[in-house]
């Protein structure tokens, strides 16, 4: 990680940006994954939410003293002279629903990042993606050892058990990764793009 | 991810940025619309507009990056950008390969993404 990684500008020919969203609960490794593959240091930005649920383009919401903001982070990968891929880390909790249209609208697809010690954190995101019609894969970020608050000596569950616990349809790929490692994150993204490609050919999808 | 209280932060500034208008005309902007600037900001340009213009003068910049660099919420940056676009001071390169709702990304786009990822 070089110190000037943050300042790499886009190519002047860049004209076609794409989005992939990495969604999951707090602490599941979203920022770590974005940082592992991004050509810039992950940037953080924020969007305004209001308690009244006012549309975010309504400036009265901006001045509303009840407004709060939610932060999300992102990175990018230059694909070629014209195309650049942005990766957004999105909080998966229900109270951030207002961000979802902005993040998922027009995205290629999503990676649901899960920590097997807190599987329930991903239920809402999976449910929401299915209803949204956003194609996704699920990646298990393997943390060593039990969570600090978990019962002792519980072995990490197999992928088959994770699939059953998440009630994942058979067509949704489930993979493992280490969010800290670029090759691992790269292969998760490739798995997603291959899944999206295979969805064009439903008769050949296993 | 800590929701913070905008009101406690700097409500007056945010209100000034938006001018308190229901400002929805102008180009449709996505988080990853790429913004290309024209030239330097003339004297007297409001500071948020000047900040945007300085950031996109030499290279395209996404709406999300402008928001992060200028430390302004995305919806506020969009309002500033719509003003600048209407005045012809920035141009917008929309995400033309983004799939419409309920449609898959096209195969040629997926192929290019795959090639780009393999090169990573
Ligand atoms: N051991 C291990 N730690 C990880 C892994 N991924 C993330 N972490 C750590 O878990 C913590 C939370 O990760 P972060 O990316 O901030 O999660 P986020 O809230 O989803 O963005 C950080 O301290 C990371 O260094 C992993 O694959 N293995
Ligand atoms: Mg994070």
């Amino acid at each position: 990680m070089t110190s000037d990684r943050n300042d790499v500008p886009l190519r002047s020919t860049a004209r076609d940006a794409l989005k992939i969203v990495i969604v999951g609960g707090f602490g599941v490794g979203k920022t770590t994954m974005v940082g592992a593959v991004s050509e810039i240091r992950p940037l953080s930005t924020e969007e305004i939410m209001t308690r009244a649920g006012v549309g975010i383009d309504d400036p009265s919401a901006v001045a509303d003293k009840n407004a709060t903001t939610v932060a999300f982070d992102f990175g990018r990968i230059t694909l070629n002279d014209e195309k650049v891929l942005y990766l957004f880390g999105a909080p998966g909790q229900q109270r951030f629903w207002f961000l979802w249209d902005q993040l998922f609208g027009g995205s290629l697809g999503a990676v649901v990042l899960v920590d097997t010690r807190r599987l329930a954190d991903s239920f809402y995101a999976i449910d929401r993606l299915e209803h949204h019609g956003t194609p996704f894969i699920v990646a298990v970020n393997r943390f060593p050892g039990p969570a600090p608050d978990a019962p002792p000596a519980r072995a990490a569950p197999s992928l088959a058990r994770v699939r059953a616990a998440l009630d994942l349809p058979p067509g949704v790929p489930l993979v493992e990764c280490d969010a800290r490692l670029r090759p691992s994150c790269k292969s998760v993204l490739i798995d997603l793009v291959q899944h999206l490609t295979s969805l064009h050919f439903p008769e050949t999808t296993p | 991810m800590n929701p913070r209280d905008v009101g406690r932060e700097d409500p007056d500034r945010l209100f000034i940025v938006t001018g308190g208008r229901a400002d929805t005309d102008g180009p449709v902007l996505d988080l990853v619309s790429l913004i290309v600037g024209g030239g330097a900001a003339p004297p007297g340009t409001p500071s948020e507009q000047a900040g945007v213009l300085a950031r996109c003068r030499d290279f395209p910049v996404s709406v999300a990056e402008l928001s992060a660099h200028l430390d302004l919420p995305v919806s506020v940056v969009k309002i500033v950008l719509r003003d600048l676009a209407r005045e012809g001071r920035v141009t917008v390169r929309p995400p033309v390969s983004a799939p419409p709702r309920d449609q898959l990304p096209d195969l040629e786009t997926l192929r290019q993404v795959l090639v780009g990822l393999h090169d990573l």
Side-chain angles (χ1 to χ4, degrees), chain A residues 14 16 45 47 59 69 86 200, chain B residues 3 21 65 67 75 93 97 105 120:
Chain A
D16 189 4
T45 187
E47 186 50 293
T69 61
Y86 283 85
H200 276 272
Chain B
R21 287 165 295 140
E65 280 163 294
S67 166
S75 46
R93 298 177 180 175
S97 297
L120 195 65

Side-chain angles (χ1 to χ4, degrees), chain A residues 24-34 73 89-90 113 117-118 140-144 177-181, chain B residues 1:
Chain A
F26 180 75
V28 76
K30 301 181 294 294
T31 304
T32 307
M33 177 171 272
V34 168
D73 44 29
L113 199 55
R117 303 166 303 182
R118 286 171 295 190
V140 173
N141 192 17
R142 288 286 189 197
F143 290 82
C177 70
D178 185 326
R180 297 164 299 179
L181 306 178
Chain B
M1 195 162 44

Side-chain angles (χ1 to χ4, degrees), chain A residues 10 12 14 16-17 19 26 44-47 56 59 63 65 67-69 74 76 80 83 86 91 102 106-107 186 200, chain B residues 1 3-6 15 21 30 32 59-60 62 64-65 67-68 73-75 93 95 97-99 105 112 117-118 120:
Chain A
L10 284 178
S12 57
D16 189 4
K19 285 186 279 196
F26 180 75
S44 177
T45 187
E46 62 184 14
E47 186 50 293
I56 50 172
K65 298 230 192 290
T68 56
T69 61
F74 63 95
R76 70 162 138 86
N80 55 41
K83 284 192 170 60
Y86 283 85
Q102 239 195 105
S107 69
K186 173 177 159 176
H200 276 272
Chain B
M1 195 162 44
R4 298 200 307 266
D5 196 332
V6 171
F15 189 77
R21 287 165 295 140
D30 190 273
V32 298
F59 301 95
S62 65
E65 280 163 294
S67 166
V74 173
S75 46
R93 298 177 180 175
S97 297
Q112 291 185 37
L117 288 174
H118 275 297
L120 195 65

Side-chain angles (χ1 to χ4, degrees), chain A:
Chain A
M1 200 178 287
T2 60
S3 59
D4 60 354
R5 193 162 68 125
N6 202 22
D7 293 325
V8 185
L10 284 178
R11 297 182 189 175
S12 57
T13 49
R15 58 180 59 260
D16 189 4
L18 303 163
K19 285 186 279 196
I20 286 176
V21 184
I22 298 163
V23 60
F26 180 75
V28 76
K30 301 181 294 294
T31 304
T32 307
M33 177 171 272
V34 168
V37 287
S38 175
E39 68 199 19
I40 55 171
R41 190 154 46 79
L43 292 170
S44 177
T45 187
E46 62 184 14
E47 186 50 293
I48 297 161
M49 68 194 286
T50 62
R51 292 188 191 123
V54 179
I56 50 172
D57 273 340
D58 179 348
S60 64
V62 175
D64 182 350
K65 298 230 192 290
N66 287 327
T68 56
T69 61
V70 57
F72 57 98
D73 44 29
F74 63 95
R76 70 162 138 86
I77 299 167
T78 292
L79 297 169
N80 55 41
D81 281 344
E82 297 196 340
K83 284 192 170 60
V84 54
L85 174 62
Y86 283 85
L87 300 173
F88 288 92
Q93 296 92 315
Q94 185 158 8
R95 67 181 184 281
F96 301 121
W97 63 269
F98 77 101
L99 255 183
W100 283 49
D101 269 354
Q102 239 195 105
L103 288 171
F104 291 91
S107 69
L108 301 177
V111 174
V112 178
L113 199 55
V114 304
D115 176 348
T116 58
R117 303 166 303 182
R118 286 171 295 190
L119 278 182
D121 285 3
S122 39
F123 290 165
Y124 177 76
I126 289 172
D127 199 54
R128 198 61 201 229
L129 289 170
E130 283 176 340
H131 281 89
H132 231 251
T134 302
F136 64 95
I137 69 170
V138 178
V140 173
N141 192 17
R142 288 286 189 197
F143 290 82
D149 53 355
R154 283 259 302 269
S158 68
L159 283 186
R161 278 184 53 205
V162 172
R163 179 177 287 281
L166 294 176
D167 198 18
L168 275 190
V172 176
L174 174 65
V175 300
E176 295 188 278
C177 70
D178 185 326
R180 297 164 299 179
L181 306 178
R182 174 176 278 213
S184 180
C185 298
K186 173 177 159 176
S187 102
V188 168
L189 295 175
I190 288 173
D191 287 340
L192 172 64
V193 177
Q194 282 172 341
H195 175 57
L196 296 171
T197 305
S198 77
L199 291 174
H200 276 272
F201 309 99
E203 67 282 3
T204 59
T205 303

